[in-house]
Structure formats: structure tokens, C-alpha cells
């Protein structure tokens, strides 16, 4: 026979587990956007937005092979799935919002991580934690990959 203490204990445990799962879901990125800014030379200028579903939009502005709007479905790409799992494990709040540099000619990167209830923007211009390079490098590989569909009207 189940006692009231067991029922209350089970209910309390269930509540705690559901709360932990719900809290975790708040900090899983829904999308990540990387904007590459220009320099005085021919640095690529573009924006890449990848949704956790795998849908991506590339907007090329200058010095890139893909000018205008392009789209790609990464939903079957295991590297994108792994990327979002890794991003979900990252504590994005420990990063500063801005890593400046006194050198005006260096290109910059702006990362925007969108969560269910908030977002975090990180502007990378100067010295910054190496872990951010891991994310930037992976996003750059996704941007440089083949198979993008041109959405520009010709």
C-alpha cells in the first residue's frame, strides 16, 4: 500500500525534475546569428543565421561568393546538430558583451544567441576567450559549405 509520504515524495520529486527540464529548455539556443563585419580591405561581409531546426539564411553583402540572400537546410547535418548541443552546454553569460580593439582595420564578428526568453550578443573585435573562436570557426565552415539555394530574383 502506498503511503501519503510516498505520494508527496513522488510529487515533489516529479516537480523538481520537470522544473530542471523546463529551466534547461530556456537556455538551449533557438538560433545563432553570426555577422562578419568589414575591414579596410576585402574582408567578407555577411550574416549567417542558423535555427536549431537546421534552417539557415546567409545574407552576403561584400567580398563573398554568395551575394544577397541564400538558404540551406542543415536539419540532416549531424555537425549542425552537434553544434547546437555544444552551444546548449555553453554558459554564454560568462562572456563580455564587447571585446574591443584599438586597431580600426580589423574585421569583427558579432554573435547573437537567441534563447526562448532572452538573447546574448557578443561583439568580437579584439582579444577574447578562445572558446568563442571554436563557435566562430564552426559557423564559418557552415557559411562556406556547398549546397546553398539562391533566393535572389534575377
Amino acid at each position: 500500500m502506498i503511503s501519503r509520504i510516498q505520494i508527496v515524495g513522488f510529487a515533489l520529486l516529479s516537480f523538481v525534475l520537470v522544473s530542471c527540464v523546463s529551466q534547461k529548455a530556456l537556455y538551449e539556443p533557438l538560433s545563432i546569428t553570426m555577422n562578419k563585419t568589414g575591414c579596410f580591405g576585402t574582408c567578407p561581409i555577411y550574416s549567417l543565421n542558423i535555427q536549431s531546426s537546421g534552417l539557415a539564411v546567409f545574407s552576403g553583402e561584400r567580398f563573398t561568393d554568395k551575394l544577397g540572400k541564400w538558404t540551406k537546410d542543415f536539419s540532416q547535418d549531424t555537425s549542425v546538430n552537434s553544434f547546437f548541443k555544444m552551444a546548449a552546454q555553453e554558459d554564454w553569460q560568462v562572456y563580455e558583451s564587447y571585446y574591443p580593439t584599438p586597431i580600426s582595420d580589423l574585421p569583427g564578428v558579432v554573435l547573437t544567441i537567441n534563447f526562448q526568453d532572452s538573447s546574448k550578443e557578443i561583439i568580437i573585435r579584439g582579444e577574447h576567450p578562445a572558446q568563442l573562436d571554436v563557435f566562430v570557426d564552426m559557423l564559418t565552415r557552415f557559411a562556406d559549405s556547398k549546397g546553398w539555394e539562391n533566393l535572389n530574383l534575377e
Side-chain angles (χ1 to χ4, degrees):
M1 183 169 187
I2 299 175
S3 72
R4 285 187 182 188
I5 294 174
Q6 288 174 320
I7 292 172
V8 170
F10 178 74
L12 197 58
L13 179 62
S14 297
F15 176 75
V16 169
L17 291 176
V18 168
S19 295
C20 290
V21 170
S22 298
Q23 190 70 7
K24 175 84 171 121
L26 290 176
Y27 297 103
E28 291 180 3
L30 300 177
S31 70
I32 297 180
T33 301
M34 177 180 69
N35 292 305
K36 289 228 176 172
T37 65
C39 62
F40 292 147
T42 57
C43 302
I45 302 172
Y46 65 84
S47 173
L48 170 69
N49 176 273
I50 299 183
Q51 304 291 317
S52 59
S53 65
L55 296 178
V57 175
F58 179 99
S59 299
E61 194 174 319
R62 294 181 68 191
F63 307 115
T64 177
D65 292 339
K66 296 183 292 292
L67 295 175
K69 291 229 184 266
W70 298 71
T71 188
K72 184 173 178 178
D73 183 357
F74 284 100
S75 62
Q76 302 302 312
D77 189 326
T78 57
S79 61
V80 171
N81 295 330
S82 297
F83 172 78
F84 272 93
K85 286 179 186 174
M86 185 175 77
Q89 299 300 316
E90 193 68 25
D91 183 3
W92 293 101
Q93 301 312 316
V94 302
Y95 295 112
E96 300 291 327
S97 294
Y98 183 50
Y99 293 95
T101 182
I103 303 169
S104 61
D105 187 33
L106 293 179
V109 174
V110 180
L111 292 177
T112 306
I113 303 90
N114 294 301
F115 306 98
Q116 181 177 330
D117 65 344
S118 64
S119 65
K120 172 74 176 189
E121 183 177 83
I122 304 168
I123 302 170
I124 306 167
R125 303 250 323 133
E127 287 190 38
H128 55 277
Q131 181 63 17
L132 291 175
D133 287 332
V134 172
F135 289 100
V136 170
D137 290 346
M138 290 178 79
L139 288 165
T140 301
R141 281 197 300 272
F142 298 146
D144 292 342
S145 66
K146 304 290 184 214
W148 288 88
E149 181 183 333
N150 190 337
L151 296 179
N152 303 302
L153 299 175
E154 297 183 42

